[in-house]
Amino acid sequence: MAGQQEKQDEGTRWVTIDGRHVLIHDAQAERQPHVSARDKAYLDKYYDAVASFAKRYNVDPALVLGVGIESGFASQGTYLRTGDAFGMTGGDTKHMTTAKSPEQNVRQFFDNYGNQIRGTGSDAAAFVNGLQGRDASGKRVNGWKVYNTDRPASWGVLVNQGIAQMWRSAPAYLAQRTKEHAH
């Protein structure tokens, strides 16, 4: 029967075309999302701690992880001296946050900015606004800290690039991690 299919292994299938069985290899199924070595190392260190806090604050972990672009995702710059992947300087590197572990670093981030980003879910604009001391609509909130006072516009672009990177890398990382734990 034309078009009849039987499932074979993942990525292959038998198809009956004009009464003949043909094994089809599906290259699409073979493609695995790629996670760079840098992103994997970062996510190995930070994902679980961020995900735990993010759940409590109702914020997408990828948004918080995206702030790690400040440190090349825990691979360069002041991170190597301080252990702070998020670049929390208080506007001056003399006040750079130091952390002995990713868990401590994540706790510091949420202690400082958790209430400002609470409930942003996956809304990147509301998240960035919160970090910059503004409500979801962009209006300044009295008493809220400003994450980056030096160049807020370019910082927002940078952090949005980090968020986009983590929206790509985190799901692929979790899929790989699940697959590795299943074996």
Side-chain angles (χ1 to χ4, degrees), residues 16 25 29 35 45 58 68-69 74 82 89 107 129 140 144 147 175:
T16 304
H25 179 75
V35 180
K45 289 179 200 171
N58 189 23
I69 198 167
T82 65
T89 63
R107 179 177 305 283
N129 276 338
R140 184 84 176 100
W144 278 16
Y147 201 93

Side-chain angles (χ1 to χ4, degrees), residues 14-79:
W14 285 99
V15 179
T16 304
I17 302 173
D18 294 328
R20 300 172 75 99
H21 282 338
V22 180
L23 183 62
I24 304 285
H25 179 75
D26 186 2
Q28 181 84 8
E30 187 177 280
R31 268 189 247 144
Q32 295 291 336
H34 177 71
V35 180
S36 70
R38 178 203 66 190
D39 288 0
K40 183 182 182 316
Y42 174 62
L43 292 166
D44 280 345
K45 289 179 200 171
Y46 278 85
Y47 185 83
D48 290 336
V50 167
S52 175
F53 274 92
K55 185 175 183 177
R56 289 184 238 160
Y57 285 84
N58 189 23
V59 61
D60 183 341
L63 300 180
V64 177
L65 290 162
V67 179
I69 198 167
E70 289 257 2
S71 67
F73 300 107
S75 70
Q76 64 189 27
T78 54
Y79 171 79

Side-chain angles (χ1 to χ4, degrees), residues 97-160:
T97 301
T98 59
K100 294 185 185 338
S101 70
E103 292 77 14
Q104 182 185 31
N105 193 200
V106 170
R107 179 177 305 283
Q108 291 165 335
F109 178 87
F110 279 93
D111 284 350
N112 281 296
Y113 297 97
N115 287 328
Q116 293 177 210
I117 61 171
R118 184 182 300 278
T120 56
S122 293
D123 186 337
F127 174 80
V128 171
N129 276 338
L131 290 178
Q132 289 298 88
R134 300 182 301 254
D135 66 16
S137 70
K139 185 179 176 196
R140 184 84 176 100
V141 177
N142 288 332
W144 278 16
K145 298 176 184 181
V146 177
Y147 201 93
N148 187 295
T149 57
D150 195 19
R151 292 180 305 271
S154 61
W155 179 83
V157 170
L158 177 71
V159 169
N160 277 299

